[in-house]
């Protein structure tokens, strides 16, 4: 990459610093931008600038929005008694795409990860406390995933809520065998979760 002209090398270095983009992909993106008509390339650049300038975090749920409160938090038809805790904004989007959940959300901003140096102080725990202090929430739904970090985070939040907000029920998304799968092909942990969180039929 050292043989590239300076401006192209700079663009490649900036692009390859993004998650999931290696030097070769960054070079392809940079060359694609270079081949675009000037107006279109300028539009891409402007949209990136506006991404930073026009978006903010919602004061209530910490999701990305154009204004605070966001459209979900500002929707009076949603159930303020149900609060769904998600690790990142993309998880909120996935939940919303189902069109089933009609409660509110809180974006935690990640998961506890001692190995990566992420502790409760780096997550939106205080924002969660403020929401629970309001007295509207009767159920906290943990939609954090099934990784080790997600389990550690769920355990931390569950203990916090049980000790400080005993009137708030803590639930989690069901875990186990996906639709269309056979028991004999499941790994031990998935089978274990399926048995532990079995449902009445």
């Amino acid at each position: 990459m050292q043989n590239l002209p300076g401006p192209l090398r700079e663009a490649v270095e900036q692009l390859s610093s993004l998650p999931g983009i290696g030097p070769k992909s960054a070079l392809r993106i940079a060359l694609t931008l270079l081949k675009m008509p000037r107006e279109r390339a300028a539009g891409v650049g402007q949209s990136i600038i506006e991404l930073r300038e026009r978006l903010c975090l919602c004061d209530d749920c910490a999701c990305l929005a154009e204004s605070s409160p966001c459209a979900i938090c500002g929707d009076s038809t949603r159930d303020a008694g149900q609060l769904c805790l998600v690790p990142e904004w993309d998880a909120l989007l996935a939940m919303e795409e189902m069109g089933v959940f009609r409660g509110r959300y809180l974006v935690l901003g990640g998961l506890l990860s001692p190995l990566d140096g992420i502790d409760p102080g780096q997550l939106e725990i205080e924002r969660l406390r403020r929401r629970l202090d309001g007295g509207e929430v009767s159920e906290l739904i943990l939609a954090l995933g099934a990784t080790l970090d997600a389990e550690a985070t769920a355990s931390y939040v569950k203990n916090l809520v049980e000790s400080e907000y005993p009137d708030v029920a803590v639930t989690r998304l069901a875990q186990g065998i996906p639709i269309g799968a056979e028991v004999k092909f499941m790994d031990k942990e998935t089978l274990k979760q399926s048995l532990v969180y079995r449902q009445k039929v």
Side-chain angles (χ1 to χ4, degrees), residues 91-113:
L92 184 155
L93 292 178
M95 294 287 290
E96 278 298 285
E97 280 178 11
M98 290 188 304
V100 175
F101 182 66
R102 294 297 301 159
R104 305 255 171 101
Y105 296 92
L106 193 142
V107 180
L108 199 52
L111 296 168
L112 293 177
S113 180

Side-chain angles (χ1 to χ4, degrees), residues 123-134:
L123 303 179
E124 296 289 349
I125 299 297
E126 288 310 309
R127 193 183 304 261
L128 174 60
R129 278 194 170 101
R130 287 197 301 273
R131 289 291 290 274
L132 297 178
D133 284 340

Side-chain angles (χ1 to χ4, degrees), residues 129-188:
R129 278 194 170 101
R130 287 197 301 273
R131 289 291 290 274
L132 297 178
D133 284 340
E136 285 186 304
V137 177
S138 57
E139 180 186 11
L140 179 65
I141 303 165
L142 305 181
L144 302 174
T147 63
L148 289 175
D149 289 346
E151 291 295 325
T153 308
S155 178
Y156 177 87
V157 171
K158 178 177 176 282
N159 291 338
L160 181 149
V161 174
E162 284 179 349
S163 65
E164 298 181 27
Y165 307 93
D167 294 336
V168 176
V170 180
T171 60
R172 68 187 298 165
L173 297 184
Q175 296 172 292
I177 300 171
I179 292 173
E182 294 186 48
V183 171
K184 64 184 176 183
F185 296 125
M186 291 298 102
D187 62 275
K188 286 193 293 188

